[in-house]
Amino acid sequence: MEKITQVLCDVTESFRPVKIIFAGKRKKSTEYKKITLRPVSIKGEYMYQAEYHYEKKVTHKNIPYYEGIDFALSVIKDDFKQVNILTEEEEIQILAAKPDKPKITRRKAHHQLEGLTHDRQKQYLLTDGKPYDFLIKLGVMSPEGKVFKNHYAKFRQINRFLEIADDSFDHLPETGTLRIVDFGCGKSYLTFALYHYLHLMKGRDVEIIGLDLKEDVIRFCNDIASELGYQHLKFVLGDIADYESDGADMVVTLHACDTATDFALINAVKWHSKVILSVPCCQHELFSQIKNETLAPMLKHGIIKDKFTELLTDGLRGLKLETAGYQVSMMEFTSLEHTAKNIMIKAVLSEKPNESAMKKASEEYESLKTAYGVKPTIDLLK
């Protein structure tokens, strides 16, 4: 579906679609006759609204703008084989009976997008068409500032992460140097983005450290930081569980595998970090531990057991952070490297911890552990 993906990237990421219509059911069993996708602004937030047309009713579903392409591709793959895209400059028809060999036709047209013309692009903290040195160095955009189509998913997710991080900055110290540690930084697209956004765009003094186990990755990232003149961005080779530091105002850990996430959270709490942004992955630790008689008929299926233990693991992590005086919220966050969606744990240290709430969280934590017969690594957090 590469050709279809390129068309959708070009249309949706430039915020030009007026309407996208999906029709021509792949299966007679599909209940709705068509889906119409259009941009909307809800409480000042740019989104897509999917309108499902049934025989006798119409329903609606709001979709975050950064998930628009994934939604459209899913609909084309599973539900409909014809797509009509109306933009401000043209009409595009995609006949996708065979998604890998679509027939794409275009003709010039003019359609008016009402109500979003002046404020739709402000949702991006980094904008397509404007060159950013780190994105150019990392191969995401051209020297002229044009995002390469095969990197648009990465570009959207960098922006999504910065939006979430930006909402957290009010909880960080207003003056002085901000200290941030990124555990399991990998290729460090987000680490570079944080540095650029905080230091070059917001004018804050920062010290950011990225930690990873891959020597070649650390060498690559340090070379890029040096070439960019990012003097206070360093990358260090090391294991999260063994990492020693004086602390950090903010801890980021995105896709640290299995118990590595727990050790990152333990370090953050030990340092009394003000903000924690964590997207766990590969939560396998509890798979072999979990035992629950009531759920046994369901957990006998490996795929269900795996998904359930992922949710249980993250639920226990959230409760454990609450016992340490953090306000915890969870949201959906799409991986940078894959299309799979993960849970992001956002934790903000309360200025005045609620002892009653902390006690309740502790009781709920112990109750869940007992109910499922598990002992997670996050138990090490005292």
Side-chain angles (χ1 to χ4, degrees), residues 34 37 67 80 83 128 161 173 193 199 201 215 225 234 236 245 278 280 284 289 333 369 375:
K34 69 176 181 177
L37 189 69
E67 292 184 5
F80 296 105
V83 187
D128 187 9
F161 172 74
H199 186 58
M201 295 177 67
E215 187 173 354
K234 307 294 182 185
V236 179
S245 169
S278 175
H284 299 312
Q289 298 182 26
F333 184 79
K369 278 179 52 185
K375 187 177 175 62

Side-chain angles (χ1 to χ4, degrees), residues 23-24 37 82 84 97 110 233 238 245 276 307 316 332 358 382:
L37 189 69
Q82 179 175 323
N84 290 87
H110 178 74
L233 175 59
S245 169
I276 303 170
K307 291 181 181 295
L316 288 168
E332 196 171 71
M358 293 166 65
K382 304 298 183 182

